[in-house]
Amino acid sequence: MALASIHARLLLSSTSASFLRRRLSSSSSFSLTSPLAFFPLRFPRASFCCSVSDDLSATTATTVPPATAPPQGKETEEEEKESGKDPVREAAEALDIRVGKVLKAWRHPEADSLYVEEVDLGEPEPRTICSGLVNYVPLELLQDSKVVVLANLKPRNMRGIKSNGMLMAASDEAHENVELLVPPEGAVPGERIWFGSEDEKDKQSDAATPNQVQKKKIWESVQPNLKTTESCVAVLGSLPMRTSAGEVTSKSLKNARIS
């Protein structure tokens, strides 16, 4: 029985081998001597979502740095010059500088260096403004005088009195001589002051809010560019400070800074 079983197995193996040879001999792609004859080749399946080239580009996307786009929303200095923009002048146009008239002035009861003024700015009620001018301007000269007021500053509490604006003045380098800026004769309280020529009055932009002036430091960016000329005219760079009645001046200080 053992010999019969062995003989049957050999016969089956021989028959299987003979069948395999006949199948392979009909194919021109393989031979029994090829090492790949008994190993199927695997090819990538075609994708229904993308092409092969898409697959390749996806695999290389992380190794190819993207093109760097030029920064947007920020002009270069050259572009600003070409567009004619002057950032200092634009900032100055955001300031609400007005002609005012001092209705009443007195010494601050809690601060020796301060005056308190009630100033008419063409509004329903006069504004209360505190000014550190005691050592520079006699009280009698302040009373009933025309002044220039920076009107869109945030109110400040100055020794118990809320100050709502600032009187603008010229001073020498040593800050020993100080003079209030003087609107021209005929200037009307409340009129907004501008910088430039007579015909630029109607080109003024809207004034910034007090919060914007503080947050964007608008006054701090404009003030270093304010001065008086040899003829005592108040200017921003070379642009005169102007009202409908004429130019704003100081009484006698030349080439002085303005604050």
Side-chain angles (χ1 to χ4, degrees):
M1 289 294 293
L3 289 175
S5 176
I6 293 173
H7 179 72
R9 290 180 183 179
L10 290 174
L11 179 61
L12 179 60
S13 176
S14 175
T15 302
S16 299
S18 176
F19 173 76
L20 181 59
R21 287 190 183 93
R22 287 197 302 270
R23 294 288 293 177
L24 292 175
S25 63
S26 63
S27 172
S28 59
S29 300
F30 299 95
S31 67
L32 288 172
T33 59
S34 171
L36 299 176
F38 297 100
F39 297 92
L41 296 179
R42 298 181 180 271
F43 296 94
R45 294 181 179 179
S47 171
F48 291 100
C49 297
C50 61
S51 65
V52 174
S53 60
D54 290 334
D55 288 338
L56 291 175
S57 64
T59 59
T60 57
T62 56
T63 61
V64 179
T68 303
Q72 300 294 323
K74 184 177 181 181
E75 290 183 326
T76 63
E77 292 182 2
E78 292 76 9
E79 288 173 334
E80 287 182 353
K81 289 179 181 179
E82 290 177 0
S83 64
K85 291 182 179 180
D86 182 345
V88 173
R89 187 172 184 180
E90 285 188 338
E93 290 176 351
L95 296 175
D96 188 8
I97 303 174
R98 299 193 219 167
V99 176
K101 182 178 179 180
V102 178
L103 302 177
K104 183 180 178 181
W106 64 95
R107 297 282 293 265
H108 194 299
E110 301 296 333
D112 293 339
S113 63
L114 295 178
Y115 287 133
V116 183
E117 306 99 16
E118 287 185 357
V119 183
D120 177 13
L121 289 178
E123 298 171 329
E125 298 291 334
R127 291 202 190 192
T128 299
I129 297 176
C130 296
S131 305
L133 298 171
V134 170
N135 297 326
Y136 307 103
V137 180
L139 184 60
E140 59 270 18
L141 293 181
L142 192 58
Q143 183 69 44
D144 294 323
S145 64
K146 292 281 186 71
V147 290
V148 175
V149 178
L150 179 54
N152 59 341
L153 295 175
K154 289 191 73 172
R156 294 179 59 191
N157 194 315
M158 302 186 75
R159 296 290 186 92
I161 296 178
K162 185 171 286 187
S163 178
N164 195 12
M166 182 181 76
L167 303 190
M168 298 183 69
S171 64
D172 59 16
E173 190 67 28
H175 204 72
E176 294 176 350
N177 298 290
V178 178
E179 294 178 355
L180 287 168
L181 294 185
V182 182
E185 188 71 27
V188 178
E191 181 182 15
R192 191 175 171 198
I193 294 171
W194 73 96
F195 297 93
S197 61
E198 294 180 9
D199 59 356
E200 291 181 284
K201 173 181 172 63
D202 297 330
K203 298 179 181 179
Q204 288 177 290
S205 59
D206 293 336
T209 66
N211 282 336
Q212 290 172 328
V213 171
Q214 182 182 55
K215 184 176 181 180
K216 298 181 180 180
K217 298 186 182 299
I218 295 175
W219 168 242
E220 289 82 353
S221 67
V222 174
Q223 189 274 326
N225 299 278
L226 295 172
K227 62 181 181 179
T228 61
T229 65
E230 281 288 337
S231 56
C232 298
V233 175
V235 294
L236 173 73
S238 60
L239 302 171
M241 183 183 286
R242 190 181 294 277
T243 74
S244 297
E247 297 173 340
V248 174
T249 61
S250 66
K251 183 178 179 181
S252 63
L253 289 178
K254 302 177 181 180
N255 302 313
R257 61 183 183 179
I258 295 174
S259 58

